[in-house]
Amino acid sequence: MRKIRFGIDVRRAMTGADLYVKVLQISSILPLLYIFTATGYMAIMGSRNVLSVLFDLGMCAIPRVEALALSYLYRLTSSEIFVYFALLAIALAVGVATDKILRGAPDASVKAHRIVAALIGFDLVLRLIPLSFNMTFGLPAEAAGWIVRAVCLALVIRDLKEWEKNK
Amino acid sequence: MNDSKFSLNALLIVLMVFSALGLFVTDKLYDMAGRMVVMYNYAPIEGTDLGIKYSTLEPSGIYRGPENNGELVAEGDFGYDWGAAVIGDQLYINEYSMTSVDMTLCDLVRIDTKTFDREVVQKNTILRGRCRSGELVCVGNAFLPSNKPEVNSLCKFYAMTSNEVRADSTIRVLFIDPETGKVVYSVADSNALTNVVKKRYLDHTLEEVMR
């Protein structure tokens, strides 16, 4: 195991920021199941089913700005395949980048944690603005996305507080 | 921790590779299989020597001349079933486009019947016909009912950043001046995609509707 002096993750297996990245990556995979199935079996789009619920949950769990950008990309290209690979690419890019930064040099890591906290906070506030895009997928999916995000924010803040205490 | 994160990243890479292969198989092979089914439709456009052909054997579009031996003058998937209108040299018609999983989108287009230049008048709008005073009666903010927008997650996702289209029932009937292509009146009607359109709008003048 790599030794790092930075206090956030010396003893604990996972920090809040790590969890957030994992949530982002896993929720990016959820909509893919629906799109992949729809390319070969169009009838799946004609009824509410497990995959469409997963699609909605996944779209609500990824950052709202990312979902909006992907929706715009979808309208621009009329291609679900573009959206599919964009989702995968973003999840992978975030995973690789945060792996380097969150576990890197202490100063950069703390900064990264703060940035993650700010981004989650911004996302939480954005989701509360009463605009139509905030109710696209219905209240249950939106509420689930908000709660997951709020839990991640609480964990990141706790990690940062602990680090401040141990400093 | 690092190992587990690596594995999630690795999973994404594996997914990406297999998706590329899988999507090629499902999307492209499915498409090839779709073309094995022979479909053919032809509808002449009233008052012109033009007709709209939809065929899986030859290019779909607007043909000039006799049905069997016509000349293709504008290629595309045009719809005559929900409504079309010829005003002078201008043909107003629905043009369908498909997304990569074959979800159908519909735009109202204007085609010059002499030069066959095409112009999108209103995106995501479905032409239903003309009212008695001549305005085009269209349904705006709507997906085609065949997409089942009320349950289709892709429709909701498409509508997420759009003011032009809605996946819920807040659709509007638009009255468009055929000369200018501008919306002159609009009214919300959740039944705009049903047969009530004829009784409520097409059989009346705009003034009567506004009353």
Side-chain angles (χ1 to χ4, degrees), chain A residues 45-46, chain B residues 102-105 143-150 152 155:
Chain A
M45 296 189 290
Chain B
D102 285 350
M103 199 170 86
T104 313
L105 304 170
F143 285 103
L144 288 167
S146 59
N147 292 320
K148 301 271 174 29
E150 63 282 0
N152 188 338
C155 286

Side-chain angles (χ1 to χ4, degrees), chain A residues 4 27 31-32 46 48 58 68 72 79 98-99 116 141 152 155 158:
Chain A
I4 30 179
S27 52
L32 306 183
R48 198 87 181 123
L68 291 173
Y72 187 71
S79 170
T98 52
D99 194 29
V116 169
C152 289
L155 290 173
R158 194 185 66 174

Side-chain angles (χ1 to χ4, degrees), chain A residues 14 22 44 49 54 74 87 95 98 105 110 132 143 152 158 161:
Chain A
M14 187 186 284
K22 276 195 182 301
I44 199 171
N49 50 62
L54 290 179
Y74 183 29
L87 257 171
T98 52
V110 171
S132 61
C152 289
R158 194 185 66 174
K161 273 188 180 161

Side-chain angles (χ1 to χ4, degrees), chain A:
Chain A
M1 194 177 145
R2 193 162 37 157
K3 293 273 182 198
I4 30 179
R5 279 187 300 156
F6 171 47
I8 280 181
D9 62 347
V10 166
R11 288 178 302 275
R12 267 217 309 277
M14 187 186 284
T15 67
D18 292 326
L19 177 70
Y20 178 68
V21 173
K22 276 195 182 301
V23 165
L24 193 150
Q25 290 190 307
I26 292 166
S27 52
S28 297
I29 295 172
L30 298 182
L32 306 183
L33 304 168
Y34 184 79
I35 298 175
F36 191 90
T37 312
T39 56
Y41 179 61
M42 262 183 73
I44 199 171
M45 296 189 290
S47 64
R48 198 87 181 123
N49 50 62
V50 178
L51 292 184
S52 64
V53 171
L54 290 179
F55 181 97
D56 292 2
L57 280 175
M59 279 299 169
C60 288
I62 63 173
R64 184 51 31 104
V65 174
E66 184 190 343
L68 291 173
L70 289 171
S71 170
Y72 187 71
L73 177 76
Y74 183 29
R75 286 202 297 123
L76 210 65
T77 60
S78 292
S79 170
E80 291 82 2
I81 309 294
F82 267 117
V83 172
Y84 187 101
F85 284 105
L87 257 171
L88 266 176
I90 293 168
L92 185 61
V94 170
V96 171
T98 52
D99 194 29
K100 295 266 181 254
I101 301 165
L102 291 175
R103 300 269 160 184
D107 285 347
S109 180
V110 171
K111 256 186 209 164
H113 277 76
R114 286 192 178 131
I115 290 169
V116 169
L119 288 175
I120 303 174
F122 170 72
D123 200 47
L124 283 172
V125 173
L126 180 67
R127 282 160 192 259
L128 293 176
I129 300 171
L131 290 170
S132 61
F133 63 73
N134 278 332
M135 278 312 291
T136 301
F137 296 104
L139 191 58
E142 295 292 348
W146 200 90
I147 290 166
V148 165
R149 205 145 248 94
V151 169
C152 289
L153 178 61
L155 290 173
V156 177
I157 290 171
R158 194 185 66 174
D159 289 337
L160 284 167
K161 273 188 180 161
E162 263 185 39
W163 180 80
E164 291 282 348
K165 214 190 288 174
N166 296 336
K167 197 164 66 170

